[in-house]
Amino acid sequence: MSLKHGLLGLLSYGAMTGYELDAAFKSSLSFFWRAKSSQIYRELDTMEKNGWLTSERVIQTDKPNKRVYSITGEGREELDGWLQTPQQDIDAAMSMRSAFLMRVFFAGETDDASAIALLKEFAKKCAETAEALSAVPASISQYGGLIGDAERRSKYWALTAMYGEHYYKAEIEWAQKAIAILEGGADEHTCD
Amino acid sequence: MSLKHGLLGLLSYGAMTGYELDAAFKSSLSFFWRAKSSQIYRELDTMEKNGWLTSERVIQTDKPNKRVYSITGEGREELDGWLQTPQQDIDAAMSMRSAFLMRVFFAGETDDASAIALLKEFAKKCAETAEALSAVPASISQYGGLIGDAERRSKYWALTAMYGEHYYKAEIEWAQKAIAILEGGADEHTCD
DNA sequence: TTAATCATGTAACACGTTACATGATTGC
DNA sequence: GCAATCATGTAACGTGTTACATGATTAA
């Protein structure tokens, strides 16, 4: 149910349209959660039926009409309840799901050269992604200006950005170690 | 489509039943991919309809009857094709999805003490999981004994285990750094 | 004139989870 | 006697993706 709670969290900063929520996801949560516009609109519908939100149609003449969502008391309770019961998500964080590692596992079915190429491409992408992530702190301070109590909140936003730095650094280190093993150890034997 | 290709990969080691595939997932791929038995049986059905597998019913008197799956030529082609087109999975590996980080992002909605507790519990779980993961190399050598060409293959299995070590180490380091920031910086200010 | 931005959706499909169902044998 | 292991599935539901649909305004 994280998308629903992510939307609630954003709406706790203030009322927004589906379009703005979509943009907020892209600009601030996109590093660890993404959602297609179509899914966001669907979830907002469900959440309104749950009584977590209310919506108001705003007629515009210069632009297309829009629908502004606001969090209700019930929605705020739901958000608080979610924040107080993190155990499931902590457990879930312990179980990764990686099609890439599945490929590494079965890379023995092809040749070492292909596996090395796979790992090099992976390391390259990690470096690119880490580079792109370094723009996040700037995005945070910009975004923070628009939201109340930003001092307190941006502290946590920065922690998620810091996570990204650590994460990609570790990924790259592993990939390089793996490449070294495959390149160096091709005709060597471990003596115990 | 990774579950399908994971099953193909395991069946490329030799014919197996759905039950054995389920166990193989649990014992060797479970660190980066899990599947419920019901899903495995459903996928095997689909894969047989695709012509990637054939199955044969084996009547047993001492135990329940079983159904042994074997990879076909078409299935082997599918597996090879998958191994040669990794780009999508590399790209997918760059986008994480973490409900836990969503919680960290919105942790400003509660108090610092709750956030610190969240991070401590996370770090603890990471340490436990990393500990459990250290048993994987043993499981690999045991499993390797049952499979042909194990020397070559186990090299790659070990790389995925090594990934786990790096990964949890980085997670713990980040969490500790985050805790230190929240604990130490509570009434401090950054002077620029 | 062409692309981007604003703005909201529907329908179908793919993948994963949960709950349920069955029933024999073997070890404690 | 009770739990674990062996062995296979169905049905319903939840979540995420893809493809499609519409149509105005504004800047290059």
Side-chain angles (χ1 to χ4, degrees):
Chain A
M1 304 258 286
S2 280
L3 176 55
K4 287 188 180 68
H5 294 104
L7 293 168
L8 280 180
L10 289 173
L11 287 171
S12 78
Y13 298 158
M16 267 184 265
T17 67
Y19 190 80
E20 284 166 336
L21 285 161
D22 191 19
F25 255 86
K26 280 192 181 61
S27 74
S28 55
L29 310 178
S30 69
F31 157 54
F32 53 84
W33 206 279
R34 289 151 304 285
K36 307 286 168 187
S37 317
S38 56
Q39 197 192 355
I40 289 175
Y41 288 114
R42 193 179 51 182
E43 291 302 312
L44 287 170
D45 236 46
T46 309
M47 289 162 75
E48 192 172 13
K49 277 171 194 153
N50 288 354
W52 300 354
L53 310 175
T54 49
S55 74
E56 202 192 339
R57 261 179 206 283
V58 176
I59 312 297
Q60 298 183 122
T61 47
D62 51 334
K63 289 177 196 172
N65 298 341
K66 62 184 180 180
R67 201 166 151 187
V68 180
Y69 290 91
S70 310
I71 191 166
T72 61
E74 262 184 272
R76 183 70 224 194
E77 271 174 49
E78 177 62 34
L79 177 62
D80 290 338
W82 175 74
L83 283 164
Q84 282 156 36
T85 52
Q87 200 56 56
Q88 249 193 292
D89 286 344
I90 293 173
D91 294 342
M94 295 309 114
S95 67
M96 41 177 35
R97 188 179 291 276
S98 168
F100 171 74
L101 284 179
M102 180 99 86
R103 284 177 182 281
V104 175
F105 190 89
F106 290 116
E109 304 306 301
T110 60
D111 54 301
D112 277 4
S114 301
I116 289 166
L118 177 72
L119 290 163
K120 283 192 172 166
E121 173 68 11
F122 175 76
K124 193 184 121 201
K125 282 269 171 184
C126 283
E128 281 169 21
T129 310
E131 175 63 27
L133 211 67
S134 66
V136 167
S139 162
I140 284 173
S141 56
Q142 186 213 346
Y143 198 71
L146 309 169
I147 285 168
D149 215 356
E151 251 174 279
R152 176 170 167 65
R153 281 160 170 161
S154 65
K155 190 166 61 176
Y156 291 98
W157 303 345
L159 291 185
T160 65
M162 192 176 83
Y163 177 92
E165 287 165 34
H166 278 249
Y167 175 76
Y168 288 110
K169 192 166 154 268
E171 302 284 294
I172 292 166
E173 277 170 12
W174 165 75
Q176 283 170 348
K177 215 165 149 184
I179 291 164
I181 288 169
L182 293 178
E183 278 179 342
D187 51 4
E188 282 170 33
H189 287 271
T190 325
C191 305
D192 58 338
Chain B
M1 302 259 287
S2 279
L3 176 55
K4 287 188 180 68
H5 294 104
L7 293 168
L8 280 179
L10 289 173
L11 287 171
S12 78
Y13 297 158
M16 267 185 266
T17 67
Y19 191 78
E20 285 166 335
L21 285 162
D22 191 19
F25 255 86
K26 280 192 183 62
S27 74
S28 54
L29 309 178
S30 68
F31 158 53
F32 53 84
W33 205 278
R34 291 150 305 284
K36 307 286 169 189
S37 316
S38 56
Q39 197 193 354
I40 289 175
Y41 287 114
R42 191 178 54 180
E43 291 303 312
L44 288 170
D45 236 47
T46 309
M47 289 162 76
E48 192 172 13
K49 276 171 195 152
N50 289 354
W52 300 355
L53 309 176
T54 50
S55 73
E56 200 192 341
R57 261 180 204 282
V58 177
I59 311 298
Q60 297 183 122
T61 48
D62 52 335
K63 289 178 198 172
N65 298 339
K66 62 184 181 181
R67 201 166 150 186
V68 179
Y69 289 91
S70 311
I71 192 167
T72 61
E74 261 182 274
R76 183 71 223 192
E77 271 173 50
E78 177 62 34
L79 177 62
D80 290 338
W82 176 73
L83 283 164
Q84 282 156 35
T85 51
Q87 199 57 56
Q88 250 192 291
D89 285 344
I90 293 173
D91 293 342
M94 294 310 113
S95 67
M96 42 176 36
R97 188 179 291 273
S98 168
F100 171 75
L101 284 180
M102 179 98 84
R103 283 177 182 282
V104 175
F105 189 90
F106 290 115
E109 303 307 300
T110 60
D111 52 301
D112 277 5
S114 300
I116 289 166
L118 177 73
L119 289 163
K120 283 193 171 164
E121 173 68 10
F122 175 76
K124 194 184 119 200
K125 282 270 171 183
C126 283
E128 281 170 21
T129 310
E131 175 64 25
L133 211 67
S134 66
V136 166
S139 162
I140 284 173
S141 55
Q142 185 212 350
Y143 197 72
L146 310 167
I147 286 168
D149 215 356
E151 250 174 281
R152 176 170 166 64
R153 283 163 169 161
S154 65
K155 190 166 61 176
Y156 291 98
W157 302 344
L159 291 185
T160 65
M162 192 176 84
Y163 176 91
E165 288 164 36
H166 278 249
Y167 175 76
Y168 288 110
K169 192 165 154 268
E171 303 284 296
I172 292 166
E173 277 170 10
W174 165 76
Q176 283 170 347
K177 215 166 150 183
I179 291 164
I181 288 169
L182 293 178
E183 279 179 342
D187 51 4
E188 281 170 35
H189 287 271
T190 325
C191 305
D192 58 335

